Amino acid sequence: MAAALFALALLLYLGLDFPEASTAQSSYAARSDTAVEISYGSAIKLMHERTKFRLHSHDVPYGSGSGQQLVTSFPNVDDANSYWIVRPQPDTSAKQGHPITHGTIVRLQHMKTRKWLHSHLHASPITGNLEVSCFGGEGESDTGDHWMLEIEGSGKTWRQNQRIRLRHIDTGGYLHSHDRKYTRIAGGQQEVCGVGDKRPDNVWLAAEGVYLPVSLPK
């Protein structure tokens, strides 16, 4: 009941009118024949495959580098600051509910702060890799918010059980996390950064979320 009420509240918050949207709680291990397909407009959590932490942000700036909004990975499953809305690249024909395929450029909008998952050439605070931040807002987005979806394995359409990588268009860095943690402002949370090569630590899976029904482009 609590999950259903939360899903309804989330849909109302996002201004979405999809009563048949699928709510998934910890179902990232679903079988391939039943896994929920991810479409534009869905609000999801991305789970780091190796550490099981969720991609996360909140209204706290980096103390170095760009000074933009901090992005981390977070250990608790039920934190609302780990929801991201999957959006298409601007000026394309993609619409809410359309499926997302391998090689597509997507944007991830942080649900709470409405800023975009972003990267650039500033150094990340712990490892000195590429900093990943949240930046911009409604009506304010640039190519630093663009990420290419790379699906691992044979699947061509993004589904909940698929291992994926997100490669940043401007820098070429893969969205990455590891078990090195912050000790002060974001104590216990893992650094998220960009790295230029494929590694086991830049694999993610779609986990909990509100998944909108797929409507195929006409």
Side-chain angles (χ1 to χ4, degrees), residues 58-165:
H58 46 268
D59 193 11
V60 173
Y62 279 107
S64 61
S66 69
Q68 294 172 8
Q69 185 170 300
L70 180 70
V71 172
T72 64
S73 53
F74 194 76
N76 296 343
V77 173
D78 58 355
D79 194 287
N81 281 304
S82 301
Y83 279 103
W84 301 84
I85 307 166
V86 186
R87 303 289 194 195
Q89 183 182 2
D91 303 319
T92 67
S93 60
K95 299 185 184 303
Q96 185 169 285
H98 285 181
I100 307 167
T101 56
H102 174 81
T104 300
I105 295 173
V106 300
R107 299 178 297 162
L108 294 177
Q109 186 177 30
H110 188 240
M111 192 188 79
K112 271 287 191 74
T113 63
R114 316 306 281 184
K115 295 183 179 181
W116 304 97
L117 187 69
H118 186 88
S119 191
H120 36 225
L121 297 177
H122 289 284
S124 64
I126 295 179
T127 58
N129 290 310
L130 298 169
E131 182 190 272
V132 173
S133 66
C134 269
F135 183 67
E138 301 285 2
E140 184 184 0
S141 178
D142 60 28
T143 57
D145 309 328
H146 293 182
W147 301 82
M148 180 175 287
L149 174 70
E150 296 185 2
I151 297 172
E152 296 290 304
S154 59
K156 299 299 181 185
T157 302
W158 191 7
R159 293 180 181 272
Q160 215 185 348
N161 66 328
Q162 286 173 311
R163 303 167 70 247
I164 67 157
R165 287 184 169 89

Side-chain angles (χ1 to χ4, degrees), residues 27 30-37 159-162:
S27 55
R31 301 195 318 270
S32 60
D33 59 343
T34 60
V36 176
E37 199 167 333
R159 293 180 181 272
Q160 215 185 348
N161 66 328
Q162 286 173 311

Side-chain angles (χ1 to χ4, degrees), residues 1-11 23-25 78 83 208-210:
M1 177 61 74
L5 289 173
F6 177 77
L8 178 59
L10 186 58
L11 288 169
T23 305
Q25 299 294 326
D78 58 355
Y83 279 103
E208 303 81 17
V210 177

Side-chain angles (χ1 to χ4, degrees), residues 28-60:
Y28 47 82
R31 301 195 318 270
S32 60
D33 59 343
T34 60
V36 176
E37 199 167 333
I38 295 154
S39 62
Y40 290 117
S42 296
I44 68 172
K45 294 183 181 182
L46 282 178
M47 183 187 72
H48 187 241
E49 183 184 48
R50 187 173 69 82
T51 64
K52 310 305 187 227
F53 280 40
R54 270 62 173 172
L55 185 69
H56 181 88
S57 189
H58 46 268
D59 193 11
V60 173

Side-chain angles (χ1 to χ4, degrees), residues 136-209:
E138 301 285 2
E140 184 184 0
S141 178
D142 60 28
T143 57
D145 309 328
H146 293 182
W147 301 82
M148 180 175 287
L149 174 70
E150 296 185 2
I151 297 172
E152 296 290 304
S154 59
K156 299 299 181 185
T157 302
W158 191 7
R159 293 180 181 272
Q160 215 185 348
N161 66 328
Q162 286 173 311
R163 303 167 70 247
I164 67 157
R165 287 184 169 89
L166 291 170
R167 182 167 61 83
H168 190 244
I169 296 301
D170 282 0
T171 65
Y174 285 96
L175 186 68
H176 184 91
S177 191
H178 45 73
D179 54 12
R180 295 186 63 180
K181 298 178 176 66
Y182 291 97
T183 57
R184 283 187 271 182
I185 293 176
Q189 298 175 40
Q190 294 175 174
E191 182 185 61
V192 169
C193 57
V195 298
D197 55 330
K198 289 186 178 183
R199 303 181 193 177
D201 269 344
N202 45 51
V203 175
W204 303 80
L205 298 96
E208 303 81 17

